Amino acid sequence: MAYISLFGLLNNWSKFPDNIALNILLWMFFNSATEELDAYYPIRPECKADVPQTRFKARVGKTLSPRRWNAAFSQDGRLDIAGVLRRIQRGGIHPTIKGVVWEFLLGCFDPNSTLDERNDIRQRRREQYAAWKAECQKMVPVIASGKLITTAIITDDGRPLQDPSFDSNGLENSCATSNSGSLDQNIIQWKLSLPQIGLDVVRTDRTLVYYESEANQAKLWDVLAVYAWLDKDIGYVQGMNDICSPMVILLEDEADAFWCFERAMRRLRENFRCTTNSMGVQSQLGTLAQIIKAIDPKLHQRLEELDGGEYLFAIRMLMVLFRREFSFVDAMYLWEVMWAMEYNPNIYSLYGQSSDFISSSGYSNAQVKVSNKQLKQYGKFERNNLKSGWTDQRGALVVFLVASVLETKNKRLLKEAHGLDDVVQILSEITGNLDAKNALKEALKIHKKYLSKARFVLL
């Protein structure tokens, strides 16, 4: 298409029919937005050579734009989620509205709620988060100070350590005990995790200008610290920082970012459950093995021969949803399209009420009868699951995405891999070279193929 300048367009505006002129303007806007997409999340100049190139492009008629988003609400604020899902699945979300759209995709709000109802819920959640944060601050005063901790503040048995970042009052308050006078084990474990959270935060998305600010680092640290205190079953595990970071950047209010992260963790937290003998992500690795065995038995056999039958090389992709394989922008595009494809219109009610923190994982997609009209409110992936009767929650779309990556590397894995190191090396080459849109298309094809081959016992 020949280049059309804005000046030339305006000078010759009357020569164009209205619809053509409007389309040209929209094309120019989105083309310009594509070139400046990284400007929404600027990269530090010294790091530009080290980050993967962004492939996502905002496209007219495909990407969910602010105008389309606002038009999707009724007069009282109810959202046409079916239309929104279609647009996201076609072309992602424009950067200016990502945060507010993610809140719906992750189940923070019911699309059938009114604007007033959502405002009430948001206010209650913010108050609840403030109360939890104040509780944490009483135990560790550096919380909510705009600072963060990267060194130990207590010993393994709970005795306080002298640290220059605390004043004497902080040291006294940070050594919390139970009513009986003995140190509470939950508090000890939580305080021991705080320096690790701090170290991970300092390393999180450090190529972005956003995290040059210690205040922004502290915002991420505060959210993760409060979450770790509340989720006493699992606490904090490395990798949660990669999931939380985009939400902290997209949502200005820290409490809103916390609740968005909390909802995302309901899908993901079982992957982070670790014991001395097992990792929670192993259940998804097992599903991945079943998928490859069903659709590509030759590749599965080869991986088993290389002692890779447990698919441990895929842990990182599953736990942090391909954050390390894509640029920051492309990773967010991948996530939002996956969440749109997995969307269940009952997610809000299944997750519980507005301001409850529930240490539960995922939601049930037990077989239910839905009308064709209701089916449109489900994402493409979830809709296929409903039609087939598949209810296994271990088979999230990301598992099929990993399978699609393995399939793209099928020939090389069969011919060139002579050990697990070779497998890891071949798969590492996808970083910066993987097209998220194409990978998702292949993942859906594999999902369909797997459903046609697999035999499920419906309970």
mmCIF file of all heavy atoms in Angstrom, residues 222-240:
data_model
loop_
_atom_site.group_PDB
_atom_site.id
_atom_site.type_symbol
_atom_site.label_atom_id
_atom_site.label_comp_id
_atom_site.label_asym_id
_atom_site.label_seq_id
_atom_site.Cartn_x
_atom_site.Cartn_y
_atom_site.Cartn_z
ATOM 1 N N ASP A 222 5.255 -5.101 47.460
ATOM 2 C CA ASP A 222 4.144 -5.043 48.418
ATOM 3 C C ASP A 222 3.033 -6.020 48.038
ATOM 4 O O ASP A 222 2.498 -6.743 48.890
ATOM 5 C CB ASP A 222 3.572 -3.628 48.491
ATOM 6 C CG ASP A 222 4.440 -2.673 49.301
ATOM 7 O OD1 ASP A 222 5.369 -3.145 49.980
ATOM 8 O OD2 ASP A 222 4.198 -1.450 49.233
ATOM 9 N N VAL A 223 2.658 -6.037 46.755
ATOM 10 C CA VAL A 223 1.587 -6.934 46.301
ATOM 11 C C VAL A 223 1.964 -8.387 46.558
ATOM 12 O O VAL A 223 1.169 -9.177 47.087
ATOM 13 C CB VAL A 223 1.291 -6.711 44.801
ATOM 14 C CG1 VAL A 223 0.368 -7.812 44.264
ATOM 15 C CG2 VAL A 223 0.654 -5.345 44.581
ATOM 16 N N LEU A 224 3.191 -8.757 46.202
ATOM 17 C CA LEU A 224 3.632 -10.140 46.398
ATOM 18 C C LEU A 224 3.765 -10.479 47.879
ATOM 19 O O LEU A 224 3.461 -11.609 48.291
ATOM 20 C CB LEU A 224 4.973 -10.358 45.681
ATOM 21 C CG LEU A 224 4.908 -10.333 44.144
ATOM 22 C CD1 LEU A 224 6.311 -10.294 43.559
ATOM 23 C CD2 LEU A 224 4.143 -11.537 43.608
ATOM 24 N N ALA A 225 4.211 -9.533 48.680
ATOM 25 C CA ALA A 225 4.363 -9.770 50.122
ATOM 26 C C ALA A 225 3.007 -9.998 50.784
ATOM 27 O O ALA A 225 2.842 -10.911 51.599
ATOM 28 C CB ALA A 225 5.086 -8.590 50.773
ATOM 29 N N VAL A 226 2.021 -9.165 50.426
ATOM 30 C CA VAL A 226 0.679 -9.332 50.994
ATOM 31 C C VAL A 226 0.078 -10.655 50.538
ATOM 32 O O VAL A 226 -0.521 -11.393 51.341
ATOM 33 C CB VAL A 226 -0.230 -8.147 50.595
ATOM 34 C CG1 VAL A 226 -1.671 -8.399 51.038
ATOM 35 C CG2 VAL A 226 0.284 -6.847 51.200
ATOM 36 N N TYR A 227 0.241 -10.976 49.264
ATOM 37 C CA TYR A 227 -0.282 -12.243 48.759
ATOM 38 C C TYR A 227 0.348 -13.426 49.493
ATOM 39 O O TYR A 227 -0.345 -14.376 49.887
ATOM 40 C CB TYR A 227 -0.040 -12.378 47.257
ATOM 41 C CG TYR A 227 -0.568 -13.686 46.709
ATOM 42 C CD1 TYR A 227 -1.891 -13.799 46.297
ATOM 43 C CD2 TYR A 227 0.232 -14.829 46.648
ATOM 44 C CE1 TYR A 227 -2.408 -15.002 45.842
ATOM 45 C CE2 TYR A 227 -0.271 -16.032 46.184
ATOM 46 C CZ TYR A 227 -1.583 -16.119 45.783
ATOM 47 O OH TYR A 227 -2.084 -17.325 45.351
ATOM 48 N N ALA A 228 1.662 -13.380 49.684
ATOM 49 C CA ALA A 228 2.363 -14.476 50.364
ATOM 50 C C ALA A 228 1.864 -14.641 51.796
ATOM 51 O O ALA A 228 1.787 -15.771 52.316
ATOM 52 C CB ALA A 228 3.865 -14.213 50.353
ATOM 53 N N TRP A 229 1.519 -13.544 52.449
ATOM 54 C CA TRP A 229 1.006 -13.617 53.815
ATOM 55 C C TRP A 229 -0.372 -14.272 53.845
ATOM 56 O O TRP A 229 -0.684 -15.065 54.739
ATOM 57 C CB TRP A 229 0.940 -12.221 54.431
ATOM 58 C CG TRP A 229 0.225 -12.164 55.743
ATOM 59 C CD1 TRP A 229 -0.926 -11.507 56.025
ATOM 60 C CD2 TRP A 229 0.611 -12.822 56.961
ATOM 61 N NE1 TRP A 229 -1.298 -11.706 57.330
ATOM 62 C CE2 TRP A 229 -0.365 -12.507 57.935
ATOM 63 C CE3 TRP A 229 1.672 -13.643 57.312
ATOM 64 C CZ2 TRP A 229 -0.299 -12.979 59.238
ATOM 65 C CZ3 TRP A 229 1.742 -14.122 58.621
ATOM 66 C CH2 TRP A 229 0.767 -13.795 59.565
ATOM 67 N N LEU A 230 -1.193 -13.972 52.854
ATOM 68 C CA LEU A 230 -2.556 -14.492 52.842
ATOM 69 C C LEU A 230 -2.620 -15.951 52.406
ATOM 70 O O LEU A 230 -3.414 -16.728 52.940
ATOM 71 C CB LEU A 230 -3.422 -13.637 51.914
ATOM 72 C CG LEU A 230 -3.632 -12.191 52.361
ATOM 73 C CD1 LEU A 230 -4.309 -11.386 51.260
ATOM 74 C CD2 LEU A 230 -4.443 -12.125 53.641
ATOM 75 N N ASP A 231 -1.803 -16.314 51.434
ATOM 76 C CA ASP A 231 -1.805 -17.701 50.943
ATOM 77 C C ASP A 231 -0.805 -18.520 51.755
ATOM 78 O O ASP A 231 0.294 -18.821 51.320
ATOM 79 C CB ASP A 231 -1.450 -17.744 49.457
ATOM 80 C CG ASP A 231 -1.683 -19.125 48.854
ATOM 81 O OD1 ASP A 231 -1.950 -20.071 49.609
ATOM 82 O OD2 ASP A 231 -1.596 -19.246 47.616
ATOM 83 N N LYS A 232 -1.211 -18.885 52.949
ATOM 84 C CA LYS A 232 -0.300 -19.585 53.864
ATOM 85 C C LYS A 232 -0.022 -21.019 53.425
ATOM 86 O O LYS A 232 0.936 -21.641 53.882
ATOM 87 C CB LYS A 232 -0.870 -19.551 55.281
ATOM 88 C CG LYS A 232 -0.907 -18.146 55.872
ATOM 89 C CD LYS A 232 -1.545 -18.123 57.252
ATOM 90 C CE LYS A 232 -1.438 -16.746 57.889
ATOM 91 N NZ LYS A 232 -2.090 -15.685 57.115
ATOM 92 N N ASP A 233 -0.850 -21.543 52.556
ATOM 93 C CA ASP A 233 -0.665 -22.910 52.074
ATOM 94 C C ASP A 233 0.531 -23.019 51.131
ATOM 95 O O ASP A 233 1.331 -23.958 51.218
ATOM 96 C CB ASP A 233 -1.941 -23.378 51.370
ATOM 97 C CG ASP A 233 -1.889 -24.846 50.997
ATOM 98 O OD1 ASP A 233 -1.150 -25.600 51.648
ATOM 99 O OD2 ASP A 233 -2.576 -25.223 50.039
ATOM 100 N N ILE A 234 0.664 -22.041 50.244
ATOM 101 C CA ILE A 234 1.743 -22.072 49.249
ATOM 102 C C ILE A 234 2.724 -20.930 49.445
ATOM 103 O O ILE A 234 3.931 -21.093 49.289
ATOM 104 C CB ILE A 234 1.166 -22.037 47.820
ATOM 105 C CG1 ILE A 234 0.406 -23.334 47.547
ATOM 106 C CG2 ILE A 234 2.270 -21.845 46.775
ATOM 107 C CD1 ILE A 234 -0.250 -23.404 46.179
ATOM 108 N N GLY A 235 2.219 -19.765 49.830
ATOM 109 C CA GLY A 235 3.095 -18.626 50.048
ATOM 110 C C GLY A 235 3.637 -18.081 48.744
ATOM 111 O O GLY A 235 2.951 -18.058 47.721
ATOM 112 N N TYR A 236 4.902 -17.636 48.798
ATOM 113 C CA TYR A 236 5.539 -17.104 47.602
ATOM 114 C C TYR A 236 6.487 -18.135 47.011
ATOM 115 O O TYR A 236 7.240 -18.790 47.733
ATOM 116 C CB TYR A 236 6.328 -15.826 47.913
ATOM 117 C CG TYR A 236 7.148 -15.356 46.718
ATOM 118 C CD1 TYR A 236 6.545 -14.652 45.684
ATOM 119 C CD2 TYR A 236 8.500 -15.659 46.613
ATOM 120 C CE1 TYR A 236 7.265 -14.250 44.566
ATOM 121 C CE2 TYR A 236 9.239 -15.259 45.506
ATOM 122 C CZ TYR A 236 8.620 -14.556 44.488
ATOM 123 O OH TYR A 236 9.335 -14.172 43.389
ATOM 124 N N VAL A 237 6.445 -18.259 45.679
ATOM 125 C CA VAL A 237 7.362 -19.133 44.951
ATOM 126 C C VAL A 237 7.887 -18.341 43.759
ATOM 127 O O VAL A 237 7.148 -17.587 43.118
ATOM 128 C CB VAL A 237 6.654 -20.420 44.457
ATOM 129 C CG1 VAL A 237 7.636 -21.302 43.683
ATOM 130 C CG2 VAL A 237 6.055 -21.185 45.628
ATOM 131 N N GLN A 238 9.160 -18.502 43.487
ATOM 132 C CA GLN A 238 9.779 -17.791 42.372
ATOM 133 C C GLN A 238 9.002 -18.053 41.080
ATOM 134 O O GLN A 238 8.649 -19.177 40.774
ATOM 135 C CB GLN A 238 11.227 -18.252 42.218
ATOM 136 C CG GLN A 238 12.089 -17.339 41.395
ATOM 137 C CD GLN A 238 13.559 -17.706 41.486
ATOM 138 O OE1 GLN A 238 13.905 -18.885 41.518
ATOM 139 N NE2 GLN A 238 14.430 -16.714 41.535
ATOM 140 N N GLY A 239 8.757 -17.009 40.342
ATOM 141 C CA GLY A 239 7.945 -17.086 39.123
ATOM 142 C C GLY A 239 6.653 -16.312 39.272
ATOM 143 O O GLY A 239 6.107 -15.801 38.288
ATOM 144 N N MET A 240 6.163 -16.221 40.523
ATOM 145 C CA MET A 240 4.960 -15.418 40.757
ATOM 146 C C MET A 240 5.220 -13.957 40.406
ATOM 147 O O MET A 240 4.305 -13.246 39.970
ATOM 148 C CB MET A 240 4.514 -15.531 42.213
ATOM 149 C CG MET A 240 3.983 -16.893 42.605
ATOM 150 S SD MET A 240 3.440 -16.900 44.334
ATOM 151 C CE MET A 240 2.909 -18.607 44.514
#
